Amino acid sequence: MGMVGAYMRVSAEELTGLLHEPDGFGELVEDEGRQTDIDKAWHGLYFLLTGETDLDDIDRHSLGKVVFGGDVLDEEAGIAYLTPEEVADLSARLQYIELDALEARYDVTTMNEQQLYPFESEWGLEEKQYLFEQFDELKRVFKQAADENGALVTWIG
């Protein structure tokens, strides 16, 4: 199946509860109606948004937060979160990014040399379209959460 980038919309109150009791995430995650994912596009989107390929030094201070979240809720499980304020800011920033800008950053040579997940050395034209479709989903989930004044919990799993 592979590793999928997942997002769950939570209220500010639920996020506060998770910060006090991170184990409560197990109950929340059962509500699949508030979840969405960007399939296996997370590494490619991270590259298009940040220009970075190295996952050993994830940039949580820029658009990299869109993919990996901000502060870490559970290091071992790889669960991070974005506050309602961060969601609103990032959602606004995402809405201004045009596909032309992402297309200009789509560098097959670098992506294949760096073996970005999941296609490793097989990135091509079809995969570019796949990333663009997943980017639209990313914009949608951030806008929905921002419209609800909500937070997001993120994980790769």
Side-chain angles (χ1 to χ4, degrees), residues 24 55 60 83 93 102 104 151 154:
L55 298 180
R60 294 190 187 269
T83 66
R93 292 168 64 188
L102 292 183
T154 68

Side-chain angles (χ1 to χ4, degrees), residues 73-142:
L73 184 64
D74 183 333
E75 185 78 40
E76 187 174 314
I79 301 169
Y81 66 92
L82 296 163
T83 66
E85 295 78 19
E86 290 172 313
V87 169
D89 174 61
L90 290 168
S91 177
R93 292 168 64 188
L94 286 173
Q95 302 313 313
Y96 285 104
I97 298 174
E98 299 291 331
L99 289 182
D100 290 347
L102 292 183
E103 189 161 16
R105 294 187 98 163
Y106 189 82
D107 180 353
V108 172
T109 302
T110 299
M111 295 168 83
N112 285 329
E113 285 175 358
Q114 297 297 314
Q115 297 188 352
L116 269 61
Y117 187 83
F119 302 110
E120 297 171 347
S121 60
E122 301 296 322
W123 288 92
L125 292 177
E126 286 182 33
E127 291 74 22
K128 177 171 64 172
Q129 185 58 39
Y130 164 75
L131 287 182
F132 291 172
E133 290 167 4
Q134 296 306 313
F135 179 69
D136 286 341
E137 177 63 13
L138 197 59
K139 287 171 65 171
R140 185 199 65 75
V141 74
F142 269 80

Side-chain angles (χ1 to χ4, degrees), residues 13-92:
E13 294 79 20
E14 288 170 321
L15 178 60
T16 299
L18 286 173
L19 295 176
H20 292 299
E21 187 59 51
D23 290 340
F25 182 69
E27 292 176 30
L28 280 177
V29 79
E30 292 178 17
D31 185 355
E32 293 182 10
R34 295 192 286 170
Q35 294 180 41
T36 193
D37 67 70
I38 54 170
D39 197 46
K40 299 173 187 169
W42 53 269
H43 198 180
L45 289 174
Y46 179 74
F47 172 68
L48 293 182
L49 292 170
T50 68
E52 299 294 326
T53 60
D54 186 1
L55 298 180
D56 290 331
D57 188 28
I58 294 172
D59 185 358
R60 294 190 187 269
H61 303 291
S62 70
L63 285 173
K65 292 197 304 187
V66 168
V67 176
F68 292 107
D71 291 323
V72 176
L73 184 64
D74 183 333
E75 185 78 40
E76 187 174 314
I79 301 169
Y81 66 92
L82 296 163
T83 66
E85 295 78 19
E86 290 172 313
V87 169
D89 174 61
L90 290 168
S91 177

